[in-house]
Amino acid sequence: MSVATPAPVQRAGLARYLLIEVIAISALFAAGALVLRASGWDLRIEDLFYDPRLHDFRLRHSPWLELLGHQLLLAVPIGIGLLAGIAALAAPRFEILRPWRGVMWAVLASICIGPLLIGILKQVTAAHCPWDIVRYGGYADYVQDWFVRSRADAGRCLPNSHAGAGFSLLALYFAGWAGGHRGWRWSGLAIGLLAGVLFGLVRTVQGAHFASHSLWSAAIDWLVASLVFLPLICTATRKEPPVRLATGATR
C-alpha cells in the first residue's frame, strides 16, 4: 500500500475564505481574549493558582511541571516543523513526497512565522506576567495599556509564546484541507487546539501568563496559518495523480 497523495481539494472561494477563515475566526479568538481581560476573568482564573500564604503561585517552581510542561512539550511543534522541512527538501527526490511539497513548506512556514511574530509583539506590549503584578506579590501595576513607547517599558508577556508554540499546530488543519483529506483536516484542528490549550494552561498555572494571553496567541497563529495556506486552498484545482488503494485500484 502506497502513501496517500493529496486528493482533489475542495477549493474555497477567495472572498468566503478571507471572510471566514482569515478574518472571522481570528477575530473570534481575539474577542475571547478581550472578554477575559475586560470581565476580570483573567484575574479570577489566576487567583485559583495563587497561594497568599506563600506569596507565590503554588506550582511556579515545580520541577516536573517546568521540565515536562514548559520545556519538553516544545519538542512537539519543533519536531513537526523539522519533519515538514525535511520532507519538503526531500520531495524532489521522492515521488511519494512530491505532491506534498507545497503543503510541507506551508506547515513549516506557519510553525515558524506565528511564534516569531508573537515573540516580536512581546517586546512592544505593555502587559506584565501575573507573577510580576502587585496583586501576586510582584512589582508592576495591572496596566490597561496595550503598547509601550519604549521597549524598556515592555511587559514582555503578551502574547503567550508557549501557547503560541502549541497553537502553531493549527497549521495541520489547513494542511489537511490543502491536501484534500477531510479527516486529517479536522484531526489537525483538534491537535492544534489541544496543544495550544495545554501549553497555555501550563504557563497560567505557573503564574507566567493570563488566559487571555493564550487566546491572543491563538488569534495570531490562526491568522498566520490561514494566510500562508491561502494560495494552496483558494487557487484553481490542480491535476492530482490518482490515489492508489490497498487493492491496487485507482480512484
Side-chain angles (χ1 to χ4, degrees):
M1 180 178 178
S2 60
V3 176
T5 57
V9 181
Q10 184 67 41
R11 298 291 172 180
L14 179 59
R16 178 181 174 84
Y17 183 89
L18 288 173
L19 179 61
I20 297 177
E21 303 296 332
V22 177
I23 299 174
I25 298 181
S26 300
L28 185 63
F29 283 122
L34 290 171
V35 168
L36 283 176
R37 179 183 174 90
S39 65
W41 272 102
D42 259 349
L43 295 171
R44 294 188 187 99
I45 292 172
E46 214 59 43
D47 286 346
L48 297 174
F49 309 110
Y50 180 72
D51 190 336
R53 295 171 299 177
L54 298 175
H55 301 288
D56 205 350
F57 290 90
R58 298 178 186 88
L59 296 176
R60 178 176 179 179
H61 303 290
S62 169
W64 288 109
L65 188 61
E66 179 65 20
L67 176 63
L68 299 177
H70 186 204
Q71 303 298 332
L72 293 184
L73 276 181
L74 291 176
V76 176
I78 292 173
I80 291 176
L82 286 175
L83 287 174
I86 291 171
L89 290 172
R93 296 190 177 186
F94 296 92
E95 185 177 353
I96 290 176
L97 296 176
R98 201 170 297 143
W100 290 97
R101 190 181 187 191
V103 175
M104 292 299 99
W105 278 127
V107 169
L108 177 60
S110 298
I111 288 177
C112 290
I113 295 173
L116 177 62
L117 181 57
I118 288 169
I120 293 173
L121 286 172
K122 288 177 68 173
Q123 305 305 312
V124 296
T125 50
H128 285 268
C129 303
W131 58 37
D132 289 335
I133 304 300
V134 173
R135 180 187 183 103
Y136 302 117
Y139 63 90
D141 294 327
Y142 183 66
V143 298
Q144 296 298 321
D145 295 333
W146 289 101
F147 296 98
V148 294
R149 296 181 180 180
S150 170
R151 289 181 60 181
D153 298 324
R156 295 179 176 84
C157 202
L158 175 66
N160 181 346
S161 57
H162 202 64
F167 282 123
S168 71
L169 296 182
L170 288 168
L172 299 177
Y173 163 81
F174 294 98
W177 190 350
H181 291 273
R182 184 179 180 86
W184 295 7
R185 175 182 174 185
W186 297 111
S187 295
L189 178 63
I191 291 170
L193 289 175
L194 287 173
V197 170
L198 177 60
F199 286 28
L201 181 61
V202 167
R203 298 302 276 159
T204 295
V205 168
Q206 290 181 308
H209 285 282
F210 289 108
S212 65
H213 297 180
S214 297
L215 283 181
W216 280 117
S217 297
I220 293 166
D221 280 333
W222 183 277
L223 178 63
V224 167
S226 65
L227 290 173
V228 168
F229 276 91
L230 185 152
L232 296 177
I233 295 174
C234 294
T235 54
T237 305
R238 64 180 183 276
K239 292 182 179 180
E240 302 289 358
V243 177
R244 295 193 174 277
L245 304 178
T247 60
T250 60
R251 60 176 176 88

